[in-house]
Amino acid sequence: MVDINNAVEAAQELATEISPAPVAFDRKTAPADIQARLNWGAPALTILDVRDRDSFNTERIMGAVSMPLPVVVERAQNTLEADREIYLYGVDDAESAKAAQKLQDAGFKAVSMIDGGLQAWKLANCPTEGRV
């Protein structure tokens, strides 16, 4: 019976390594709160779009910077200060959470997901740009 228990535990550990649990990044900011800061005039913040370049070119939050998920840490480290306020969005909350966690793990101190992403931004009547 001990061998079976050990085998089950080993299989569970292996399964976790192969398909880790989704990142549960919990710092979110409402689009209206970000837009209020932008309207203020000197927001000292950066909005990152971590989707692929085609999605970024099609439609994005006005003023967002394209830093696709696979290169977000490298590009952010090359262009942003670690204490810069960063708000980001991806294709969905899972992608946004993954990017936010990567940036936080890389030493960025003020990272937040835009709650609801681009869709919530548009529903709040905040400005977008792109080919749409």
Side-chain angles (χ1 to χ4, degrees):
M1 191 64 152
V2 173
D3 289 337
I4 293 173
N5 289 338
N6 290 340
V8 169
E9 287 177 16
Q12 288 173 335
E13 287 177 27
L14 182 59
T16 301
E17 290 174 16
I18 293 171
S19 61
V23 177
F25 192 84
D26 63 358
R27 185 162 180 210
K28 296 180 181 179
T29 304
D33 293 339
I34 299 167
Q35 188 59 50
R37 287 194 56 197
L38 292 170
N39 290 342
W40 179 57
L45 62 85
T46 299
I47 298 174
L48 299 183
D49 183 326
V50 300
R51 301 173 302 153
D52 64 75
R53 189 65 178 191
D54 283 341
S55 296
F56 174 83
N57 288 339
T58 299
E59 186 175 29
R60 64 191 167 274
I61 291 174
M62 186 172 286
V65 177
S66 177
M67 290 193 191
L69 182 61
V71 296
V72 68
V73 171
E74 177 186 353
R75 287 192 185 168
Q77 287 175 329
N78 289 332
T79 58
L80 301 172
E81 297 293 323
D83 60 351
R84 179 74 173 182
E85 287 188 47
I86 299 171
Y87 298 91
L88 61 82
Y89 64 100
V91 171
D92 54 28
D93 284 345
E95 184 177 64
S96 299
K98 188 173 184 179
Q101 190 64 56
K102 281 184 167 194
L103 288 171
Q104 191 172 48
D105 290 347
F108 289 90
K109 298 174 180 85
V111 180
S112 181
M113 297 168 37
I114 297 174
D115 195 13
L118 181 59
Q119 294 300 6
W121 184 267
K122 293 186 325 186
L123 287 173
N125 294 315
C126 298
T128 61
E129 58 188 351
R131 291 184 284 215
V132 170

